[in-house]
Amino acid sequence: MNLEYSTEQTLLADSVERLLSQRRATDRRAIWAACAELGLLALPFPEDMGGLAGGNVEAQIVMEAVGRHLADVPYIGCAVGPGAILGLCPETLRLRELVAAIAEGSRTACLAHEEEHARYRLAHVETRAERTASGFVLNGKKTGIATIDGVDELIVSARLSGAAGDETGIALFLVPADLPGVRMRTFPAFDGTTLAIVGLSDVALPPDALLASDKGALAALDRAEAASLSAVCGEAVGILEAMLDETVAYLKTRQQFGGPIGRFQALQHRAAEMYVALEQARSMALLAAVSVDLPDREERWRMLAAAKVQINASLRFVGQQAVQLHGGIGVTEECRVGRCFKRTAMIERAFGDTFHHLAVLDRLGGLEGRLPRTAPAQANGRAA
Amino acid sequence: MDLSFSHEEIAFRDEVRAFIRDNLPADIRAKAGRVAHFDKADVVAWHRILDARGWAASHWPREHGGPGFSPVQRYIFMEEMLRAPTPEPLSFNINMVGPVVYTFGSDAQKARFLSRIRSLDWWFCQGFSEPGAGSDLAALRTSARREGDEYIVNGQKIWTSTAHVADWMFCLVRTDAAAKKQEGISFLLIDMRTPGITVRPIITIDGAHHTNEVFLDDVRVPVANRIGAENRGWDYAKFLLGNERTGIARVGLSQGRVSRAVSLACGIEGLDGPLTDDHGFRRRVIELEIELKALEITALRIIDRQRRRNDGRPDPASSVLKLRGAETQQASAQLLLDVAGRLGAPLDADLAALGGGFAEAQGAAAIHLGARAATIYGGSSEIQKNIIAKGILGL
Ligand SMILES: Cc1cc2nc3c(=O)[nH]c(=O)nc-3n(C[C@H](O)[C@H](O)[C@H](O)COP(=O)(O)OP(=O)(O)OC[C@H]3O[C@@H](n4cnc5c(N)ncnc54)[C@H](O)[C@@H]3O)c2cc1C
């Protein structure tokens, strides 16, 4: 057992913190370039592709700072996810070049996997890929894509065979965003971050666009989902810290009834409960980070699901209390806790919400695997 | 960053498990998890078995008769005992008075008391709380007037658990009534056979006689039985209350209760088949498991921090462990009784005569009722929140 950051990890935390505390700017491209300069964009990629082979703890370190500063940096969608996927794909010259370009910030890529009716089910892919004489043709629609403006490459999941939900038959493709038939539409989510949907109609791809198929594709998607979930837990911890700090500071300064409101024990206890929620979330973020690479799929998802359920609960509790303890100012657009609150509500539904992960745990017999079941779960085909 | 135990630590855990499996007497094992409190005879028997192995005083330093466990080993050791569960080494002796004696006692006191505290030859109880001094412990009024080389002690203690079976009581008394309330307190060891001591039972809602009122009328205590300096008792009490708090989450205890609730549920049929298929039941188990997992890791994080700081000071974050630990003990006990349903109704009856279902649910009510005290003793949940708000958040 060793729960201390290494020297490198401490340095990383310091430098990300410095970067994001200096840049309150809204220019996402500029922040992205600064991330590249710091080496953050090389971090999630394996060494043999020219990456820095950072682990899940490193990704959480970056995301914790992103959360603390409520920075609008699509690090998970454009770095962590692609890193986890490409790391499991057979290495080619094209991939090496792409990774090098991503690392230096000259090109961008993001994962386009989610679909309208998937509801967190990893294997729910309706988008079709057909083999043709000259390669593949893709048709379908991808949603909920966390990306950066003008993204260059999409990593798209599509089905070569089978029906939505089948664990076999899925393939991954590298799709340049400017290909004919690719239509990307972006929209702002309620927390101010940008999401995209992509329509694919008769998108023709050469044979070498295929990154992985079948078991390999599913394993890569599973890993990206796990790594992303872990990373978003880091972001959650950063936001929780920020909300607790802001609230405690406010309790000390806001005067009512002739003194600071922090002298009221009812509010002190609420703040203490927020602290407990933060500490428990920190513990579960740690659990997520060390569980992403567990070889046993069931064990891995038991831990990740537990982490996400707990962190969602902490986000909800701390978010609600942070707003409440600020009074009216807490529900305004200009107040930071109000913005934090919106972000927490989006994170709650990133990479599986509480309903989903409780159902995952239910299927797997609970966290300890000790809950037997005689009757099959309600037959609505939910895959972990 | 690594959350898993090392090979040596896993080997140690297996060693502890095997030791419990091979040495826990069968009659104690039969009661395990089915009683709210073990009897004195059970506690003593198991304590002696551990002591013979050198493990009774798991967190004492070697020079005072401890096994020299690392902080992680201590944690593993305690959790394994809770999970079994076995009786615990007597906390009053091992966690409380022992460390006070070896840290602040004179050489003569160490020679006289330490090995008997460790081996449980002398059973200690804790005489801190008084009718007027609960959470506000420093308000205690029991007085000790000096007469030559004796103190004459007068007053009343309350909630003195196991006083009726104890040989000794470590006790906070007021030696200077004029001083500020924290500054006039001394720490005495009182022989329970001394004339003037009356012990009256308090029966708690679990039906148990576990705790007591203790009346002290002109009780003569040798000055030689005062630990440390006169009027410095508050410092020793604070040391005692802050000592070894990483085990207070008692995750293993709650885990054991959840396991028992699940196996009980396996044999119970409800409207839609086995209770283990019931969605509501499964949700409660899972949510409790998640909370316990978080608590376990929080405990390990605090241990890790202490190991690196290595100054022995209590970590204020351990209030999280007490707070959430007590709550999960209660939630797991509540779950057990909820599973038992009306078969959990008997508190003290011949269960075998009532029927097998009742016997299966043995102890569910007593454990649930007994667990309500967990958020009250050892610094109530409200006091833990005060500590977090003031000590950590600066409010
Ligand atoms: C089963 C059991 C065994 C015990 N064993 C022992 C023992 O062996 N030896 C011993 O010395 N003591 C023992 N105790 C006593 C225990 O330590 C006290 O019960 C505890 O300190 C609380 O004191 P109290 O009961 O007087 O409650 P009070 O202090 O009167 O508290 C009543 C309520 O007010 C709340 N409260 C009090 N102060 C504050 C505050 N400042 N802010 C907010 N809320 C507050 C409390 O949390 C509680 O909810 C035992 C208690 C129990 C129940």
Side-chain angles (χ1 to χ4, degrees), chain A residues 289-300:
Chain A
V290 300
S291 300
V292 171
D293 294 318
L294 285 178
D296 183 87
R297 185 181 176 190
E298 294 198 346
E299 193 58 12
R300 175 166 74 242

Side-chain angles (χ1 to χ4, degrees), chain A residues 265, chain B residues 92 126 128-129 134-135 159-161 373 376-377 380 382-383 386:
Chain A
Q265 196 188 44
Chain B
F92 300 128
Q126 177 189 23
F128 279 18
S129 304
S135 300
W159 312 118
T160 324
S161 300
I376 297 169
Y377 58 62
S380 72
E382 289 74 21
I383 296 300
N386 289 348

Side-chain angles (χ1 to χ4, degrees), chain A residues 265 269, chain B residues 37 92 96 125-137 157-163 170 204 206 210-212 370 372-384 386 390:
Chain A
Q265 196 188 44
H269 282 192
Chain B
H37 303 283
F92 300 128
M96 298 184 183
C125 63
Q126 177 189 23
F128 279 18
S129 304
E130 296 184 8
S135 300
D136 184 11
L137 183 57
K157 295 292 171 181
I158 193 171
W159 312 118
T160 324
S161 300
T162 73
F170 58 91
T204 39
D206 54 357
H210 177 70
T211 196
N212 305 276
R372 297 318 302 175
T375 45
I376 297 169
Y377 58 62
S380 72
S381 292
E382 289 74 21
I383 296 300
Q384 301 304 331
N386 289 348
K390 296 206 157 56

Side-chain angles (χ1 to χ4, degrees), chain B residues 4-23:
Chain B
S4 52
F5 292 135
S6 67
H7 290 304
E8 295 77 40
E9 286 159 349
I10 287 172
F12 173 74
R13 187 190 65 195
D14 293 343
E15 187 187 350
V16 174
R17 261 185 209 171
F19 184 83
I20 293 172
R21 188 191 58 222
D22 299 341
N23 293 281

Side-chain angles (χ1 to χ4, degrees), chain A residues 217-242:
Chain A
L218 191 71
L221 285 168
D222 184 290
R223 179 145 178 261
E225 185 82 356
S228 303
L229 186 154
S230 163
V232 91
C233 288
E235 182 177 7
V237 166
I239 295 188
L240 288 167
E241 275 171 13

Side-chain angles (χ1 to χ4, degrees), chain B residues 162-219:
Chain B
T162 73
H164 56 303
V165 296
D167 305 300
W168 287 82
M169 171 166 68
F170 58 91
C171 193
L172 294 180
V173 295
R174 191 158 294 286
T175 35
D176 182 352
K180 256 181 58 187
K181 68 180 186 176
Q182 283 85 356
E183 287 165 12
I185 294 171
S186 298
F187 193 108
L188 300 185
L189 306 184
I190 302 179
D191 185 335
M192 290 299 280
R193 291 165 312 183
T194 319
I197 298 181
T198 312
V199 177
R200 284 203 200 131
I202 297 175
I203 306 301
T204 39
I205 50 175
D206 54 357
H209 173 201
H210 177 70
T211 196
N212 305 276
E213 291 179 289
V214 176
F215 297 87
L216 302 122
D217 290 305
D218 288 333
V219 176

